[in-house]
């Protein structure tokens, strides 16, 4: 498998008043095409900051991120927006669905933004079948369960066929049954469609669904699949 995403000596600092916080410290990371990777660690260890920097939503203070060989640090804000639109899908703990639109319309909006266009979409129909929500497309978010809303959010995230799917605590608002359903569906997206997925979670039980586990503490990667960083 080819390398899809690389973080090289990545650092991120924030200013909180007069205090400087080092959220990421010398992160070196490679994600290959078709991998399903979990990033784990306690709250405040830098997991979400890492995801935001990898996804081009925040710029690093030090180092660089490469996606498909493109250096995000050299891009303008407009170029970053286009890269996110064309190559990255996001799933968050909050479903962030447009409440006045049906599930189907939420997905259609995403398809339009990604330039997929209208009309029949065999890939999209396969995704709806996989996520078991094809019969929910006429329902608004308020008419769906939490698990169903998250599955619509996943379908929306992959509507543009992104190279990378970034998921930040996607089961955080779900009960254990719906968490298992969502994680099984991530696994199927990865296996059936070769979707590259980076999952951020503090729930150690979810790593069983993934191929590789990266553990973070205090802004640094401390181990990968149980092997300590040197």
């Amino acid at each position: 498998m080819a390398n899809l995403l690389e973080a090289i000596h990545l650092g991120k600092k924030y200013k909180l008043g007069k205090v400087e916080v080092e959220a990421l410290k010398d992160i070196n990371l490679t994600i290959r095409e078709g991998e399903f990777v979990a990033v784990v660690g306690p709250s405040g260890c830098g997991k979400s900051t890492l995801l935001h920097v990898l996804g081009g939503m925040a710029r690093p203070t030090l180092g660089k991120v490469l996606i498909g060989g493109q250096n995000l640090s050299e891009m303008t804000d407009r170029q970053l927006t286009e890269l996110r639109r064309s190559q990255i899908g996001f799933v968050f703990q909050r479903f962030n669905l447009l409440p006045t639109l049906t599930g189907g319309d939420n997905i259609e909006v995403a398809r339009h933004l990604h330039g997929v266009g209208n009309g029949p979409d065999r890939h999209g129909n396969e995704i709806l079948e996989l996520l078991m929500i094809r019969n929910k497309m006429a329902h608004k978010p308020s008419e769906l369960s939490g698990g169903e809303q998250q599955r619509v959010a996943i379908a929306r995230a992959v509507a543009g066929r992104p190279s990378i799917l970034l998921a930040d605590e996607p089961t955080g608002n779900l009960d254990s049954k719906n968490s298992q359903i969502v994680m099984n569906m991530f696994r199927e997206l990865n296996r059936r469609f070769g979707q590259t997925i980076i999952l951020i979670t503090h729930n150690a039980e979810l790593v069983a669904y993934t191929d590789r586990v990266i553990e973070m503490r205090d802004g640094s990667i401390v181990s990968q699949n149980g092997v300590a960083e040197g």
Side-chain angles (χ1 to χ4, degrees):
M1 293 183 290
N3 292 342
L4 179 58
L5 182 150
E6 295 178 78
I8 303 171
H9 297 301
L10 201 62
K12 180 66 176 177
K13 296 180 180 179
Y14 290 106
K15 278 285 186 76
L16 293 177
K18 296 182 179 180
V19 178
E20 187 174 73
V21 177
E22 194 172 11
L24 299 177
K25 307 171 186 176
D26 197 28
I27 298 288
N28 291 285
L29 176 64
T30 299
I31 305 294
R32 295 183 295 275
E33 289 182 2
E35 272 199 294
F36 188 0
V37 177
V39 180
V40 303
S43 296
C45 72
K47 302 187 303 295
S48 291
T49 300
L50 177 62
L51 196 79
H52 291 163
V53 173
L54 294 181
M57 293 183 288
R59 292 184 182 271
T61 308
L62 299 168
K64 58 186 176 181
V65 175
L66 304 177
I67 294 181
Q70 300 178 84
N71 186 348
L72 272 59
S73 298
E74 296 177 347
M75 293 183 175
T76 65
D77 289 344
R78 183 173 181 177
Q79 288 171 328
L80 276 175
T81 298
E82 180 56 35
L83 179 132
R84 289 194 301 267
R85 182 180 297 155
S86 63
Q87 296 194 43
I88 304 172
F90 297 95
V91 179
F92 299 102
Q93 181 174 339
R94 294 183 177 180
F95 315 129
N96 295 328
L97 298 174
L98 298 173
T100 60
L101 300 182
T102 64
D105 287 340
N106 268 276
I107 294 170
E108 281 302 314
V109 167
R111 291 184 68 206
H112 177 74
L113 290 174
H114 288 294
V116 175
N118 299 318
D121 179 13
R122 179 179 175 182
H123 176 78
N125 288 334
E126 289 178 353
I127 295 295
L128 295 181
E129 292 288 350
L130 170 65
L131 297 174
M132 297 187 293
I133 53 172
R134 190 165 185 173
N135 64 338
K136 302 293 183 179
M137 290 297 93
H139 295 264
K140 291 183 178 179
S142 61
E143 300 169 327
L144 302 173
S145 70
E148 290 167 344
Q149 288 185 63
Q150 189 59 294
R151 281 180 265 161
V152 172
I154 294 169
R156 180 183 60 184
V158 298
R161 305 189 187 187
S163 302
I164 305 167
L165 182 62
L166 302 178
D168 191 359
E169 301 282 3
T171 64
N173 283 333
L174 304 179
D175 59 26
S176 58
K177 180 179 178 180
N178 275 299
S179 294
Q180 291 175 3
I181 291 171
V182 166
M183 289 305 301
N184 278 319
M185 290 174 177
F186 276 129
R187 180 77 262 186
E188 281 301 302
L189 279 172
N190 172 256
R191 287 177 174 171
R192 191 183 303 183
F193 300 105
Q195 179 67 64
T196 305
I197 303 173
I198 303 176
L199 169 76
I200 301 294
T201 182
H202 68 274
N203 186 345
E205 295 179 3
L206 302 186
V207 303
Y209 294 88
T210 67
D211 302 321
R212 182 158 60 106
V213 181
I214 296 167
E215 183 181 1
M216 290 186 67
R217 290 189 183 277
D218 300 323
S220 299
I221 292 176
V222 295
S223 71
Q224 299 195 43
N225 267 12
V227 179
E229 293 289 289

